[in-house]
């Protein structure tokens, strides 16, 4: 298994608000218009799962497999070119701010590791960056 971690990101919302929004994927409706249509297609979700089509990767479907309030939400790939688990950890900084980190653990065949490690690391960082832009009110 290969592990990819984002840098720690600061969020101007309390930990509980961030957790409440991330642990219920139906909240993605509020940010649907921010998803770049030229990069993501067939974006669908419910409270526990999300699926999207990303060129050239194809369809990726994830389901929440664990919620540890108010500090972690863990996802597992149900459909993906590579099996993976992704989790988002949240910690309080003050009563009104928090920080988060995104971690991805993937089962990458040795022959593909050099080719996909860079894009996976970049992807994890982009997910973390995107999570800092969401209004968690």
């Amino acid at each position: 298994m290969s592990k990819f971690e984002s840098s720690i990101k600061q969020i101007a919302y309390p930990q509980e608000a961030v957790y409440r929004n991330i642990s219920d994927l139906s909240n993605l409706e509020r940010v649907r218009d921010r998803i770049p249509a030229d990069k993501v297609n067939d974006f669908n979700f419910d409270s526990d799962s999300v699926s999207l089509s990303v060129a050239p990767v194809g369809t990726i479907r994830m389901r929440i497999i664990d919620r540890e309030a108010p500090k972690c939400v863990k996802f597992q790939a149900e459909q993906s070119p590579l099996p993976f688990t992704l989790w988002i950890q949240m910690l309080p900084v003050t009563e009104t701010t928090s920080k988060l980190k995104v971690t991805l653990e993937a089962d990458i065949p040795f022959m593909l590791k050099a080719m996909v490690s860079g894009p996976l690391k970049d992807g994890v960082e982009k997910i973390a960056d995107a999570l800092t832009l969401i209004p968690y009110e």
Side-chain angles (χ1 to χ4, degrees):
M1 293 296 251
S2 299
K3 187 184 259 189
F4 304 91
E5 296 179 332
S6 73
S7 56
I8 295 171
K9 306 292 182 178
Q10 299 294 319
I11 301 181
Y13 294 94
Q15 177 189 21
E16 293 79 13
V18 176
Y19 174 82
R20 185 174 52 252
N21 281 272
I22 291 174
S23 65
D24 180 357
L25 296 176
S26 60
N27 289 313
L28 289 171
E29 187 61 46
R30 295 185 333 200
V31 295
R32 182 186 286 273
D33 60 332
R34 295 184 187 182
I35 307 294
D38 61 326
K39 297 183 183 189
V40 176
N41 296 309
D42 302 322
F43 182 59
N44 298 298
F45 51 86
D46 59 32
S47 62
D48 294 320
S49 65
V50 61
S51 69
L52 49 102
S53 182
V54 182
V57 176
T59 300
I60 297 173
R61 184 177 5 259
M62 298 183 297
R63 178 167 299 283
I64 294 176
I65 58 168
D66 191 24
R67 292 174 173 95
E68 188 180 338
K71 54 187 172 181
C72 186
V73 179
K74 194 171 193 178
F75 301 82
Q76 185 166 13
E78 290 188 328
Q79 180 179 352
S80 169
L82 296 171
F84 70 87
T85 304
L86 179 136
W87 58 98
I88 303 167
Q89 297 166 286
M90 297 140 277
L91 290 172
V93 175
T94 68
E95 288 184 14
T96 59
T97 63
S98 56
K99 58 186 176 180
L100 70 73
K101 179 171 78 169
V102 176
T103 304
L104 180 119
E105 197 169 70
D107 189 9
I108 304 171
F110 179 75
M111 299 295 281
L112 293 177
K113 192 166 186 173
M115 184 172 40
V116 301
S117 289
L120 286 175
K121 174 63 178 155
D122 290 344
V124 166
E125 198 65 35
K126 286 179 183 177
I127 291 168
D129 288 338
L131 289 171
T132 65
L133 302 175
I134 295 173
Y136 291 103
E137 288 129 0

